[in-house]
Amino acid sequence: ALPDCPTYFPPPGGLRYGLWTFPPDESAGTLSPDFDIVGALAELEAKFPGMAAHLEPDAPGMHTTQTVDIGLVLSGEIDLELDDGATVHLAQGDFVVQNGTRHAWRNRSGRPTTMVFVLVGAHPA
């Protein structure tokens, strides 16, 4: 039996899967002066409990989790930015395995990219 998963990222022995579509980076734009950051963070917490705690405010998009992440690019292209600043370019059909590493996803392709992920909860190395 799998353990309960009250947060988005699963505990050791837990499992989560999901389909994510990453918009092009330039579509994010700059935040308008009336953007409700408190409301946005509350919505993030409601939809993906515990996710915000893994995000780095000083390095947007960078995050580290205690999971083994298996990702497959279903459509589009995306760059995986690694802790040392290196990037790995992925295109449709490519897959990657992340083992609890610090990383970020950067969609510089100019079009949406869709990926499927399987996250397996792991113990810290």
Side-chain angles (χ1 to χ4, degrees):
L2 294 174
D4 287 337
C5 238
T7 60
Y8 181 77
F9 295 109
L15 182 71
R16 168 116 24 228
Y17 64 92
L19 189 67
W20 286 81
T21 298
F22 296 87
D25 284 356
E26 65 268 9
S27 68
T30 52
L31 298 177
S32 67
D34 61 342
F35 180 74
D36 179 11
I37 188 70
V38 174
L41 289 173
E43 182 178 352
L44 179 66
E45 186 63 25
K47 291 182 178 182
F48 305 102
M51 182 178 282
H54 294 276
L55 299 176
E56 298 179 21
D58 296 338
M62 293 299 285
H63 59 284
T64 308
T65 61
Q66 294 302 317
T67 56
V68 175
D69 305 349
I70 304 161
L72 170 66
V73 181
L74 298 176
S75 65
E77 300 176 44
I78 197 160
D79 290 326
L80 171 59
E81 182 180 331
L82 303 172
D83 190 28
D84 62 1
T87 60
V88 176
H89 185 76
L90 302 169
Q92 184 175 354
D94 290 340
F95 75 94
V96 64
V97 177
Q98 290 282 98
N99 190 11
T101 56
R102 182 176 180 258
H103 65 283
W105 297 99
R106 309 287 185 207
N107 183 353
R108 300 177 178 107
S109 72
R111 60 191 172 118
T113 298
T114 300
M115 295 183 69
V116 63
F117 288 95
V118 176
L119 311 177
V120 181
H123 293 283

